[in-house]
Amino acid sequence: MMDRVKSKWWVHSTLALFLVMSLVVTGCTSDRGSEKEAVEAGTKVASDKKTTPPAVQTTDAEVDEQPSRVYYEIFVRSFYDNDGDGIGDLNGVTAKLDYLKDLGVGGIWLMPINPSPSYHGYDVTDYYGIQKQYGTMEDFKKLLDEAHKRDIKVIMDLVVNHTSSEHPWFKAAAADAKSPYRDWYTWAKPGESLPSDGATGAQPWHKSGDDQYLGIFWEGMPDLNFDNPDVRKEMIKVGQFWLKQGVDGFRLDAAKHIYEDFKSQGNLPATKEKNQAWWQEFRKGIEEIHPDAYLVGEVWDSTAKIGPFLAQALDSCFNFDLSKTILSTVSSEKATDIAFNLERIYSYYAKNSDGKFVDAPFLTNHDMNRTMSEVKGNTDHAKMAASILLTLPGNPFLYYGEEIGMLGMKPDEQIREPMIWSAATSGSVKEQTTWESLVYNKDAKQGVTEQEKDNESLYNHYKKLIQWRNDEPALHDGGIASYKFDNASVLAYQRVTKATKALVVHNLSKETQKVVLPDDAYKTLALQSKDSAVLNGKSLELPPYSTVILK
């Protein structure tokens, strides 16, 4: 059995720091339990006690600027059917680049496009090919060329933790114990004592003849053995190949599971060090081809465990805790000091990354219930979630269909339903993919076509906020600083660059709110999501469910 199975407990000088940081994160995470709904609708101005001047967090620390662009996650199979076979394709993505550009998107993340026996593609059978149902390599290069003409970057899902059990490497390894690919995977012989606490909760060992192989997700996804230098070289070669085709970086699936196969090993310093060493090696290989390639990792874990992945390795890790905080905040209509928490987390990440870290906030993705379902169909709450996401630092990621409020809850197929381009067509034209029957969105009254024409739609709210972000340097590039009003319904924070700053203020509630600024540092009502906001001297009045930017 490989060394990755036999890891020992090593005492490490930084373990205490990680434990402390884990406690900090636990203390900073907002309450995720259900909260009582706000009182019945009304536009009454809040009581006098809510006009108390805010406590303002100031800092002399160097501004942590994070130049950014908005990314859009696309499940190609569900997005746009260009050839009428019911399955989305690469040419369909190309056909919708102008839609994405008009929305304000500056980058797209393509879920797996490699050949695979599954509908989702996370079990790859050929790392150098294109899924035939999606098109050809020529189609992909055309997509890259057209995206780059529009200043849209393209990153693709790269699944290096495991292959498909149908991959030729694994087939050869399973058929012959003397195969050169045998050691590309982790095997155990009959009667061998095996750890069974799989990191994902699933049974990690699977029968193959008389032996067993490691596959922590399921039997169709055997884990690659990264203690084998040939595996490491091959995965770097794969990354370099796609960079040479023109991609701008990668979303790295299951990035923390390279050396975290078992729960008992997850906190070992040795596990952290081996993961860090691999991703640093991968980064160096990527930089040989594309020094500015963007690497964002799926590391669903605490701040303490994420930090090492950012040390001369990944540029970003998706901010899963922040997504839950945002959705909890808008659903409860109660402000949390998001900026206070992020300042401290960013400080820790900056130390790990020598200041190169960029956050990757999002609301939901292809593994999570959709935003509109999480907020129980409340469009006002969905708008406020978008307003918060798009005014925070880092590269915000939007899951396809979020901008039109698509619904979806587990199982996975129902959070990956076909994009609703027009409610009127109901799949009767080729643009609407039909590979999966609509369940949550079968009665959708509005798709993209309808929402584009409605000035008050969720789509146009997303478009407005993205435009704010793209046009305003403090929102586009700035760091974050706390700014807290003594009003539970008002969320505020500062966005700061070395040259400029802006104050973001959200009214999370269904009532008009009035707050008083402590000084005249912000004098101008620069942007407002609803026209009835008023700044009179130091007094700011916010209409229900609205966002303003002060300068």
Side-chain angles (χ1 to χ4, degrees):
M1 189 165 32
M2 297 298 103
D3 289 343
R4 63 193 302 183
V5 176
K6 297 180 177 178
S7 295
K8 299 178 181 179
W9 182 273
W10 292 359
V11 178
H12 194 277
S13 61
T14 60
L15 182 57
L17 171 61
F18 291 147
L19 291 173
V20 169
M21 286 304 300
S22 295
L23 291 174
V24 169
V25 171
T26 301
C28 290
T29 302
S30 63
D31 181 10
R32 297 169 186 170
S34 60
E35 299 191 45
K36 188 175 181 180
E37 289 292 327
V39 293
E40 198 74 342
T43 56
K44 182 177 66 173
V45 174
S47 63
D48 288 343
K49 73 172 186 176
K50 294 183 180 179
T51 66
T52 305
V56 181
Q57 175 87 13
T58 59
T59 177
D60 294 327
E62 184 176 350
V63 173
D64 179 22
E65 294 187 0
Q66 297 188 38
S68 68
R69 62 178 61 217
V70 176
Y71 280 82
Y72 189 93
E73 179 188 359
I74 296 176
F75 182 33
V76 175
R77 183 175 295 273
S78 285
F79 193 60
Y80 187 94
D81 178 14
N82 192 69
D83 58 14
D85 66 355
I87 296 173
D89 43 56
L90 294 172
N91 286 333
V93 177
T94 302
K96 285 299 180 181
L97 287 174
D98 286 337
Y99 164 78
L100 297 173
K101 184 67 176 179
D102 188 56
L103 182 60
V105 167
I108 56 176
W109 154 24
L110 299 175
M111 287 171 60
I113 60 172
N114 301 119
S116 167
S118 67
Y119 83 93
H120 51 72
Y122 283 99
D123 46 343
V124 175
T125 56
D126 178 7
Y127 283 100
Y128 299 95
I130 298 288
Q131 170 64 266
K132 289 183 179 179
Q133 293 175 318
Y134 291 172
T136 65
M137 185 66 77
E138 288 69 30
D139 294 332
F140 184 54
K141 289 182 178 179
K142 178 182 177 182
L143 167 58
L144 293 171
D145 289 343
E146 293 299 320
H148 292 156
K149 286 178 184 177
R150 294 162 174 80
D151 190 30
I152 296 176
K153 293 184 179 294
V154 180
I155 65 173
M156 60 181 284
D157 237 310
L158 190 59
V159 187
V160 304
N161 178 73
H162 51 264
T163 69
S164 168
S165 58
E166 298 298 312
H167 196 292
W169 300 340
F170 184 76
K171 284 186 172 182
D176 182 3
K178 295 182 179 180
S179 166
Y181 293 106
R182 181 74 171 188
D183 194 44
W184 284 41
Y185 299 89
T186 301
W187 298 88
K189 295 179 179 179
E192 191 168 354
S193 178
L194 301 172
S196 59
D197 58 335
T200 66
Q203 168 55 249
W205 296 98
H206 311 281
K207 289 282 291 181
S208 176
D210 293 331
D211 297 331
Q212 296 184 76
Y213 63 89
L214 186 63
I216 64 164
F217 290 103
W218 72 296
E219 64 182 10
M221 293 177 173
D223 283 21
L224 285 165
N225 170 26
F226 279 81
D227 283 333
N228 185 326
D230 290 337
V231 170
R232 298 166 85 99
K233 290 177 183 177
E234 183 67 21
M235 289 299 101
I236 292 171
K237 180 182 172 185
V238 167
Q240 292 177 336
F241 171 83
W242 290 105
L243 291 173
K244 290 175 183 177
Q245 309 314 307
V247 302
D248 299 290
F250 303 101
R251 180 265 184 184
L252 300 164
D253 180 69
K256 78 168 188 171
H257 291 294
I258 301 299
Y259 288 104
E260 194 183 47
D261 293 330
F262 306 102
K263 293 179 182 178
S264 57
Q265 294 182 5
N267 290 318
L268 294 179
T271 301
K272 180 213 74 172
E273 291 167 0
K274 293 177 81 171
N275 268 322
Q276 187 179 62
W278 154 245
W279 288 117
Q280 288 173 341
E281 183 179 338
F282 182 79
R283 170 101 248 173
K284 289 180 181 178
I286 292 304
E287 288 181 343
E288 290 177 9
I289 307 300
H290 191 335
D292 296 322
Y294 179 50
L295 302 182
V296 54
E298 181 194 28
V299 184
W300 196 334
D301 219 316
S302 68
T303 300
K305 289 188 178 180
I306 291 171
F309 287 89
L310 304 171
Q312 300 176 11
L314 309 185
D315 298 290
S316 304
C317 289
F318 288 109
N319 200 329
F320 285 90
D321 279 349
L322 181 58
S323 75
K324 294 177 181 178
T325 297
I326 294 172
L327 293 175
S328 173
T329 296
V330 300
S331 294
S332 68
E333 302 189 358
K334 301 298 181 185
T336 54
D337 197 350
I338 289 175
F340 180 87
N341 299 338
L342 289 179
E343 282 182 283
R344 280 141 188 80
I345 292 169
Y346 289 174
S347 176
Y348 176 67
Y349 289 166
K351 290 176 183 176
N352 280 268
S353 67
D354 294 327
K356 297 177 181 178
F357 158 77
V358 177
D359 201 5
F362 68 103
L363 296 179
T364 59
N365 65 23
H366 64 280
D367 287 324
M368 303 162 71
N369 293 338
R370 282 188 173 273
T371 297
M372 189 59 85
S373 291
E374 285 292 309
V375 300
K376 297 179 171 51
N378 188 317
T379 301
D380 289 317
H381 288 171
K383 286 182 177 181
M384 294 313 300
S387 294
I388 296 172
L389 172 69
L390 294 167
T391 54
L392 289 175
N395 293 320
F397 280 75
L398 312 181
Y399 186 37
Y400 79 95
E402 294 286 274
E403 75 274 23
I404 57 170
M406 283 180 62
L407 297 162
M409 299 186 75
K410 295 275 193 174
D412 286 347
E413 291 85 347
Q414 292 171 15
I415 54 178
R416 304 167 185 174
E417 290 188 359
M419 177 75 169
I420 307 297
W421 292 103
S422 173
T425 62
S426 299
S428 63
V429 295
K430 70 176 185 178
E431 68 180 25
Q432 186 73 49
T433 71
T434 56
W435 74 273
E436 173 79 355
S437 297
L438 295 174
V439 177
Y440 280 93
N441 298 283
K442 64 180 179 180
D443 297 321
K445 293 181 174 57
Q446 287 192 328
V448 171
T449 300
E450 292 81 12
Q451 290 204 24
E452 284 179 326
K453 299 172 184 176
D454 178 2
N455 289 334
E456 300 303 316
S457 69
L458 181 60
Y459 166 85
N460 276 308
H461 182 79
Y462 265 93
K463 185 175 180 179
K464 178 189 295 182
L465 267 292
I466 295 173
Q467 183 176 345
W468 288 8
R469 184 182 190 89
N470 291 341
D471 292 347
E472 173 52 53
L475 296 180
H476 186 270
D477 299 332
I480 194 167
S482 182
Y483 194 106
K484 190 175 183 208
F485 289 104
D486 185 17
N487 182 325
S489 298
V490 177
L491 171 64
Y493 39 84
Q494 299 173 91
R495 297 295 310 281
V496 184
T497 69
K498 293 174 182 177
T500 187
K501 63 180 180 178
L503 178 64
V504 181
V505 188
H506 307 283
N507 178 1
L508 303 170
S509 77
K510 62 186 69 172
E511 295 181 350
T512 297
Q513 299 293 335
K514 193 172 185 179
V515 292
V516 177
L517 286 81
D519 53 43
D520 59 358
Y522 295 98
K523 301 178 180 179
T524 304
L525 182 58
L527 298 165
Q528 54 184 314
S529 64
K530 292 185 178 180
D531 292 337
S532 51
V534 177
L535 178 63
N536 186 5
K538 297 178 184 179
S539 177
L540 174 63
E541 187 171 306
L542 299 160
Y545 301 122
S546 66
T547 298
V548 301
I549 308 297
L550 305 183
K551 295 180 72 176

